[in-house]
Amino acid sequence: MTTTALKEWPLWEIFVRSKQGLEHKHCGSLHAADASQALHMARDVYTRRQEGVSIWVVPSAAITASNPDEKGEFFDPAADKIYRHPTFYEIPDEVGHM
Amino acid sequence: MYTQSFNVPDQAGQKTVAVTPSTENPELMARFDARIDADGRIEPQDWMPEAYRRTLVRQISQHAHSEIVGMLPEGNWISRAPSLKRKAILIAKVQDEGGHGLYLYSAAETLGTSRDQMLEGLHSGKAKYSSIFNYPTLNWADVGAIGWLVDGAAIMNQIPLCRCSYGPYSRAMVRVCKEESFHQRQGYEALLVMMKGTEAQREMVQDAVNRLWWKCLAMFGPPDADSPNSAQGMRWGIKRISNDDLRQKFVDATVPQAKVLGITLPDPDLKWNEERQHYDYGQIDWQEFWDTVEGNGPCNKERLATRVKAHNDGQWVRDAAQAYARKQQERAMKEAA
């Protein structure tokens, strides 16, 4: 992160764990001056009705995303490997559930 | 939470948004159209035609501004709520509106506009927000009537937006709609309580409804025949149900609620049409609507001035938070060195 003076507070991505045992899920973003302020604001913006038991805040600038224009090539290697799915294999009925 | 089917231009005096002929790359355009036709979703990094992006930026930012300005007419009553219970409810509702504004600003920012740009548009008077907030809240019953009617109209408008083709907007709307039901119910219940009170209280409820009813019908935006851009919005999956259809749904849903409440709606032409299986209703004063949209409603200046003052009064807090964050960061870097 840069220390140059920003006109706007930086953007943070917010992840909320809705209850113990579940994963943190992305729920939106907000502007905050620093991480602890981002946490407090995320609590007020995204958990006003007990929607969460834990919050992660991540600087949006720290996220590297795959390029949607290359979605085809990027995900293509998995498209023709149907043998990775259990339904590819035929098992005699008498074996029952497997 | 509030919206207006409100894709009005931000420049005053121009009632329709010119749709410029597409000069986009035909191959990308075809791919975009195919995804829209398949009822797919568009995400921020996906290619989209400029006109689609512009329309969304305008609509989502106007929607966000409406949430933020919408805090003012009700915020006005927090210190004068008739009981601690009603005060707590009202604070929660107004806080929700602020939250809804934030969800929406974030959604608009994914399209490449900045928070500062949007706020500048609002504060300079260039950007529009829902016309309904430019009317005064004169008595406590107005707060209940806003919840029942204004939030009720907003829900009608917003539920179809949960299926909007632009992912971040539709996700924000899902969140908003979940919270919205409380707004309408608390308002209706507050009016029910007043209707069980004194004659004077019942008159207050009727008075509030009389003043707000027509403004709420106008919230759905101009009639379909005068909404040349609705078709484009429909084509793009931004708009799912036409202004007039939404308005009709609202009227049909509200008439029985008014009966239970024990008040009348101020429209002599309002009656059940057996053939259409809908309520007929009278003429909306569109001149008044456009006057208000263009800045000449009873409270336009006051609302904007209050909003700008709140923003300016908060400047030192934003500056201080930023200075503190910078100092902490510098300290951490020094310690690491």
Side-chain angles (χ1 to χ4, degrees), chain B residues 288-309:
Chain B
E288 191 209 333
F289 171 79
W290 285 113
D291 283 348
T292 307
V293 166
E294 277 157 24
N296 305 312
C299 299
N300 291 56
K301 289 189 180 64
E302 183 192 328
R303 296 287 183 245
L304 210 55
T306 308
R307 171 63 208 151
V308 170
K309 182 174 186 301

Side-chain angles (χ1 to χ4, degrees), chain B residues 56-71:
Chain B
L56 278 170
V57 167
R58 185 177 47 236
Q59 181 172 332
I60 301 172
S61 61
Q62 285 178 355
H63 195 160
H65 297 331
S66 301
E67 301 291 346
I68 299 300
V69 177
M71 297 163 83

Side-chain angles (χ1 to χ4, degrees), chain B residues 23-309:
Chain B
T23 52
E24 308 282 6
N25 175 329
E27 193 191 322
L28 292 173
M29 193 70 209
R31 214 182 302 160
F32 173 86
D33 285 340
R35 189 180 297 180
I36 295 283
D37 289 340
D39 205 17
R41 293 291 181 268
I42 307 298
E43 293 295 339
Q45 304 304 320
D46 293 335
W47 183 90
M48 62 188 87
E50 252 331 283
Y52 176 83
R53 183 187 300 275
R54 271 202 314 271
T55 301
L56 278 170
V57 167
R58 185 177 47 236
Q59 181 172 332
I60 301 172
S61 61
Q62 285 178 355
H63 195 160
H65 297 331
S66 301
E67 301 291 346
I68 299 300
V69 177
M71 297 163 83
L72 302 177
E74 291 178 293
N76 193 30
W77 280 92
I78 289 175
S79 61
R80 291 176 288 159
S83 67
L84 188 56
K85 173 183 153 188
R86 293 289 163 193
K87 186 180 204 157
I89 292 170
L90 191 54
I91 290 173
K93 179 177 189 294
V94 171
Q95 190 190 14
D96 273 357
E97 307 300 1
H100 296 174
L102 292 178
Y103 307 154
L104 287 160
Y105 281 130
S106 292
E109 281 172 77
T110 63
L111 291 157
T113 182
S114 77
R115 185 76 55 101
D116 280 352
Q117 267 174 314
M118 287 186 277
L119 288 182
E120 162 60 22
L122 173 65
H123 294 163
S124 67
K126 276 198 301 250
K128 303 294 184 219
Y129 54 85
S130 186
S131 56
I132 193 82
F133 305 115
N134 290 315
Y135 296 96
T137 40
L138 300 178
N139 76 47
W140 170 252
D142 286 36
V143 173
I146 284 178
W148 173 38
L149 296 174
V150 176
D151 287 83
I155 292 171
M156 285 285 173
N157 247 330
Q158 287 168 160
I159 285 176
L161 287 173
C162 295
R163 293 181 292 121
C164 169
S165 62
Y166 188 57
Y169 193 25
S170 74
R171 291 193 286 275
M173 281 296 104
V174 169
R175 189 174 288 282
V176 163
C177 286
K178 265 190 209 158
E179 300 179 351
E180 201 66 40
S181 173
F182 141 64
H183 296 181
Q184 189 182 21
R185 290 173 66 110
Q186 65 81 32
Y188 189 70
E189 192 237 24
L191 296 183
L192 277 173
V193 169
M194 289 184 78
M195 291 303 286
K196 288 185 200 132
T198 65
E199 190 51 38
Q201 285 174 312
R202 281 189 286 276
E203 278 167 19
M204 282 164 74
V205 174
Q206 184 66 59
D207 170 58
V209 170
N210 288 351
R211 280 180 289 108
L212 279 166
W213 174 248
W214 288 104
K215 326 288 191 239
C216 288
L217 293 192
M219 279 175 73
F220 293 93
D224 295 345
D226 301 332
S227 307
N229 299 302
S230 275
Q232 182 63 77
M234 294 262 194
R235 171 72 190 82
W236 278 334
I238 296 173
K239 195 169 175 53
R240 297 287 186 178
I241 305 180
S242 83
N243 294 357
D244 285 334
D245 287 351
L246 284 170
R247 188 163 18 241
Q248 184 70 62
K249 269 171 84 115
F250 175 71
V251 172
D252 291 347
T254 308
V255 172
Q257 295 165 359
K259 206 167 289 169
V260 174
L261 193 56
I263 52 116
T264 57
L265 296 170
D267 178 0
D269 297 324
L270 188 70
K271 57 174 185 297
W272 179 250
N273 183 324
E274 189 57 38
E275 196 183 319
R276 291 199 312 126
Q277 290 290 301
H278 288 295
Y279 283 93
D280 289 336
Y281 54 90
Q283 272 299 318
I284 295 165
D285 184 350
W286 290 109
Q287 192 52 51
E288 191 209 333
F289 171 79
W290 285 113
D291 283 348
T292 307
V293 166
E294 277 157 24
N296 305 312
C299 299
N300 291 56
K301 289 189 180 64
E302 183 192 328
R303 296 287 183 245
L304 210 55
T306 308
R307 171 63 208 151
V308 170
K309 182 174 186 301

Side-chain angles (χ1 to χ4, degrees), chain A residues 2 8 12 17 29-30 37 50 53 67-68 72 81-82 95-96:
Chain A
T2 158
E8 290 194 347
W12 302 77
R17 183 201 292 282
S29 53
L30 52 76
Q37 193 197 20
Q50 296 178 293
V53 294
N67 181 350
K81 296 179 178 61
I82 48 171
V95 176

